[in-house]
Amino acid sequence: MPAIEQTRAAAALVPRRRRRLDGERLVAAVWDHPGRWLAVCVLITLAAAWQARSVSLDNSLAIWFAEDDPALASYREFQSLFGNDEAIVVAFHDADGILTAEGLALLNRAGEAVAAVDGIAGVESLATLLSRASGGLAPGPPNDGQGLPAHLVSADRTAAVLIARLQADPGVEQRRDAIIGEVRKALDGVGADGRMIGTGVIYEALNRLSQRDTATLFAAASLVMALLLWRALRRLAAVALCLVIVGVATIWVMGALGALGRGLNMVTMVLPTLVTVIGVANCVHVLRHVAHAKAVADRRERVVRALAAMMPPCFFVAMTTAAAFAALAVSPLPVLRDLGLFGAFGMVAVFALTFVLATVALRWPGVAPRPEAGRAIGGLAARASGLAARRHRLVLAATAGGLLAAPAAMSQLTVDTYSVGFLPADHPVRAAYRFVEERFTAYTPLEFVVRAEPGVPDDRVLGAVRDWQRRGRQLSGVGWSKSPADPMPPTGPSDAGAERRLRADDAWRVSFAIPMRSARSIARDIDRLLAQANMPEGIGVAASGYLPLYVRTMERIVFSQVWGFAVAFAVVMAMMALLFRSARLAAVAVPVNLLPVAVVLGSMGLAGIPLDVATVTIAAIVLGMAVDDSIFMLDGFRRARARGLGEQAAIRAAAREAGASMVLSTLVLALGFLACAFADIKSVVWFGVLLSLAMTSALLADLVVLPALLAATGRRRDA
């Protein structure tokens, strides 16, 4: 080797050796005192398991909006003025007609039973109105033209609804699931078989599916990974070690959730699966490196050196993935912040547990993987990377073409969220919505608040509201409407609050019925109805209630996607530069790790998969996970160059050393995430499928594009 090459190699090895010695001291401390470290892990795990008992399911408003959010404050003001706008709607059907003595008796029994449920403020149905009316129902809107309220009975007289209003109690959201369960029991108790809809009913269904999906996904992912681990490690003890590490890390994450009073929901329910799958992939790299470490007489020295050599890249792998998760903390949506922060904690926990438990377990020879496992895969990876390096111009031209085409596909991306659409197509709640909207055209109330300046007479306000209602009901998709301008039927003491629910001080409540649709569609309905308001001077109108809050999540999704990815990209690339202390190596990592993000977002655009509250995290998480194999590949390349190998030979050596672990860990990730296909919540299915696609494309980028970039940016040297 020329003198200059020897000098460079020695210089490269000095800082590396210092870091290795630091790592050796840490690993040696665990090896020499295993009981102490195991005791610490056991105590933390027991404490976490105790805290995890309190983790429950929560899909309430609190997970979507911070308490100081202006949009939530506006909604709370609406509730303080008019009471809770959330209701449980129960639809009853009789093909022979619901307006019979039997049908009205059924509505009456159901109403009395539901009204007795704790948490229900009152009920409304055709039966309650008839029982309070004197001389029959008052004609006039909202009605079906024959004096019957259009929001209570269908035009064909075969269906009628019971509306159960929830109490305006701050704690009612925490009790919503229990209240809905009691309403079901009350209906069953009087033999009333009805179809239930409503915002709370949707979230209660999501809670139940989240609970089932969390267990299903974790079990499916664990089974898939156990099979893949056997293929990668070829030792049952090594497989068991990996599963124990990620199992304990998952308990720690669940314990952290419980200790901080957080629950699982339709977004954070993927946390156990994420921690398990990502953690197992990192375990594969560590254990395979130990299996292929240079043989020395002293087993302690061999294991300590091997684990110490893996500590720096594994630390940065954990930190970059954690940083990508933590970048979600910039999101204004609390649910995404929780996913990011607890996901980041999970990555740190996996790193710490991997080195502690692996060091203790590897004291026994039967734990280390068999060295021959994956050797053929490593050879194939080396040949693929070597070919890509030799044909780097062709590879980079094809990559550039793909990246240039990606914006056109990503331009098809839409930002939207649809709560009912998260449920399976055959779910009873979706079937209930179809049933109600087929017979009532539209049933989801869209609320507005009309305010008048001092001095504007009430008659003028009510006349303007009445005209607006008439124009609004003529719009396609808009059903009944209600306001203080409607003739009110006589009411008894049991509905004494009816007037307050429509007017409070200088504010009037106006409701229009629209179909339950996505946030983007509801935003259009709001704009259409506001355009029809045409209020006189001195009278203002604004959308209010729950649906505008629901629409607001679209803005938060865009903010979360853009800033979450921007922060993740900046932090991850900075950490790459810090790890390798090389502008060249950090620079080549940029397009390599942007490629899988472009593949995923472009695929979403082409497939019509929207960015919603679940998939909005995809870009930041993909970046944090895709960079892992880049770190192992570049670390192997740098060490090979430090040994004096030329560019082409160093690329092949890095791929041969890390390639098998990269391929096998990617299989663990891709197939582990595909377990999400067993989920009932649609957004979780897409989340898993897209992550699987991302990991596959990231592997190709690291084994093909990265070698091509290294070859194109480096000086040619003989092997």
Side-chain angles (χ1 to χ4, degrees):
M1 181 187 298
I4 188 169
E5 293 296 332
Q6 292 178 345
T7 303
R8 283 199 182 113
L13 284 171
V14 169
R16 176 77 178 177
R17 181 61 181 164
R18 286 174 182 167
R19 287 195 300 273
R20 182 178 297 169
L21 288 174
D22 291 339
E24 285 181 7
R25 282 197 292 269
L26 288 172
V27 177
V30 179
W31 181 283
D32 294 336
H33 306 285
R36 298 178 186 175
W37 292 88
L38 280 179
V40 170
C41 289
V42 169
L43 289 175
I44 295 174
T45 304
L46 290 175
W50 179 262
Q51 293 291 341
R53 297 182 313 115
S54 63
V55 174
S56 59
L57 291 166
D58 181 16
N59 280 305
S60 66
L61 280 177
I63 71 171
W64 304 109
F65 294 90
E67 281 300 321
D68 59 352
D69 191 296
L72 186 60
S74 175
Y75 177 59
R76 299 299 189 206
E77 181 189 15
F78 176 89
Q79 289 183 315
S80 68
L81 288 172
F82 303 109
N84 198 339
D85 66 331
E86 184 177 334
I88 301 169
V89 178
V90 187
F92 300 95
H93 179 249
D94 188 333
D96 296 327
I98 197 73
L99 300 182
T100 62
E102 293 79 5
L104 293 174
L106 174 68
L107 287 171
N108 191 57
R109 290 198 310 274
E112 291 178 350
V114 172
V117 172
D118 183 29
I120 297 298
V123 298
E124 181 183 7
S125 73
L126 194 61
T128 60
L129 288 186
L130 287 171
S131 67
R132 291 195 297 266
S134 174
L137 294 174
N143 63 60
D144 65 352
Q146 300 182 31
L148 295 176
H151 68 295
L152 295 179
V153 63
S154 64
D156 63 3
R157 308 292 193 274
T158 64
V161 297
L162 169 74
I163 303 173
R165 293 178 289 102
L166 271 66
Q167 293 175 351
D169 177 0
V172 78
E173 284 190 40
Q174 283 66 43
R175 298 190 294 124
R176 181 195 286 125
D177 287 6
I179 293 171
I180 292 173
E182 289 301 315
V183 168
R184 285 199 181 94
K185 289 181 182 178
L187 293 172
D188 290 341
V190 296
D193 184 16
R195 300 167 173 86
M196 294 175 59
I197 64 171
T199 301
V201 176
I202 296 171
Y203 288 131
E204 190 261 352
L206 288 172
N207 281 344
R208 287 193 289 168
L209 290 182
S210 297
Q211 183 175 22
R212 187 168 66 190
D213 281 353
T214 299
T216 301
L217 297 186
F218 187 76
S222 298
L223 176 60
V224 169
M225 287 184 300
L227 296 174
L228 290 172
L229 284 172
W230 174 255
R231 177 68 183 83
L233 306 176
R234 297 294 180 88
R235 275 228 168 100
L236 187 60
V239 173
L241 172 61
C242 290
L243 295 178
V244 167
I245 289 171
V246 296
V248 172
T250 301
I251 293 173
W252 287 15
V253 171
M254 297 299 289
L257 282 167
L260 295 176
R262 300 295 201 276
L264 291 177
N265 50 64
M266 59 175 290
V267 175
T268 58
M269 59 168 281
V270 299
L271 271 172
T273 303
L274 280 171
V275 172
T276 300
V277 175
I278 298 173
V280 163
N282 290 335
C283 289
V284 169
H285 281 282
V286 172
L287 294 181
R288 283 183 52 78
H289 184 80
V290 172
H292 292 87
K294 183 179 179 180
V296 294
D298 182 23
R299 176 173 180 77
R300 176 186 182 279
E301 182 180 356
R302 179 189 178 192
V303 172
V304 168
R305 284 187 178 181
L307 290 177
M310 286 298 289
M311 188 170 284
C314 285
F315 174 78
F316 276 90
V317 162
M319 292 303 103
T320 51
T321 308
F325 274 104
L328 297 175
V330 303
S331 171
L333 296 172
V335 64
L336 296 187
R337 293 203 296 267
D338 281 354
L339 177 66
L341 295 176
F342 288 102
F345 172 71
M347 298 304 101
V348 175
V350 165
F351 169 76
L353 286 166
T354 297
F355 281 90
V356 171
L357 298 185
T359 301
V360 174
L362 287 169
R363 293 168 61 90
W364 289 270
V367 175
R370 297 186 184 278
E372 66 273 12
R375 185 169 294 166
I377 297 175
L380 288 173
R383 286 195 289 274
S385 295
L387 179 61
R390 292 193 301 273
R391 301 287 187 268
H392 62 270
R393 290 186 179 87
L394 178 61
V395 171
L396 295 181
T399 302
L403 288 175
L404 290 174
M410 287 189 283
S411 67
Q412 304 300 312
L413 267 174
T414 59
V415 179
D416 208 353
T417 188
Y418 182 31
S419 296
V420 177
F422 293 142
L423 301 172
D426 59 349
H427 193 277
V429 173
R430 292 193 69 172
Y433 266 100
R434 288 193 294 268
F435 171 85
V436 170
E437 292 182 352
E438 283 172 0
R439 287 156 180 81
F440 291 84
T441 305
Y443 210 87
T444 301
L446 174 56
E447 308 287 357
F448 295 87
V449 174
V450 176
R451 294 181 184 272
E453 295 178 358
V456 177
D458 287 0
D459 289 346
R460 188 179 182 188
V461 177
L462 294 175
V465 167
R466 193 177 297 114
D467 292 341
W468 178 31
Q469 287 180 267
R470 186 181 64 255
R471 292 190 298 269
R473 285 195 296 266
Q474 293 173 355
L475 296 175
S476 63
V478 177
W480 49 264
S481 68
K482 291 194 297 182
S483 80
D486 300 328
M488 294 289 292
T491 59
S494 62
D495 198 34
E499 185 176 351
R500 176 184 175 274
R501 294 197 303 274
L502 293 176
R503 181 175 178 180
D505 299 328
D506 62 342
W508 285 264
R509 174 181 179 178
V510 183
S511 307
F512 289 93
I514 62 172
M516 173 52 81
R517 296 192 280 203
S518 70
R520 182 176 293 273
S521 298
I522 292 173
R524 287 195 292 266
D525 287 335
I526 292 173
D527 291 339
R528 289 196 305 152
L529 285 165
L530 286 175
Q532 294 295 320
N534 195 23
M535 292 292 175
E537 186 176 354
I539 303 174
V541 58
S544 192
Y546 171 73
L547 289 185
L549 199 65
Y550 178 58
V551 169
R552 179 111 168 124
T553 59
M554 287 197 304
E555 301 173 21
R556 306 305 176 84
I557 287 171
V558 173
F559 183 94
S560 301
Q561 171 76 1
V562 173
W563 285 102
F565 179 74
V567 171
F569 181 81
V571 173
V572 167
M573 290 304 128
M575 295 182 74
M576 292 278 284
L578 179 64
L579 170 62
F580 295 113
R581 299 184 183 181
S582 165
R584 174 198 171 197
L585 296 185
V588 298
V590 172
V592 171
N593 290 287
L594 286 179
L595 187 60
V597 176
V599 168
V600 168
L601 295 181
S603 299
M604 290 177 67
L606 294 176
I609 303 171
L611 281 173
D612 59 27
V613 292
T615 57
V616 66
T617 62
I618 203 79
I621 292 177
V622 165
L623 177 66
M625 293 171 57
V627 78
D628 293 358
D629 282 344
S630 299
I631 289 176
F632 287 118
M633 185 74 173
L634 289 172
D635 184 65
F637 172 78
R638 185 179 61 174
R639 286 189 283 107
R641 292 290 292 119
R643 295 197 301 268
L645 296 181
E647 294 281 338
Q648 298 279 343
I651 290 170
R652 293 193 299 272
R656 184 177 296 106
E657 179 181 324
S661 295
M662 289 166 59
V663 171
L664 292 169
S665 62
T666 297
L667 282 175
V668 169
L669 288 166
L671 295 180
F673 286 132
L674 274 182
C676 290
F678 294 102
D680 287 311
I681 299 177
K682 187 185 298 183
S683 59
V684 176
V685 174
W686 285 123
F687 184 80
V689 171
L690 291 170
L691 282 182
S692 182
L693 173 64
M695 294 303 97
T696 304
S697 59
L699 176 66
L700 293 175
D702 285 318
L703 290 180
V704 177
V705 180
L706 182 55
L709 283 168
L710 289 172
T713 58
R715 287 180 293 177
R716 295 180 179 273
R717 295 184 179 88
D718 295 332

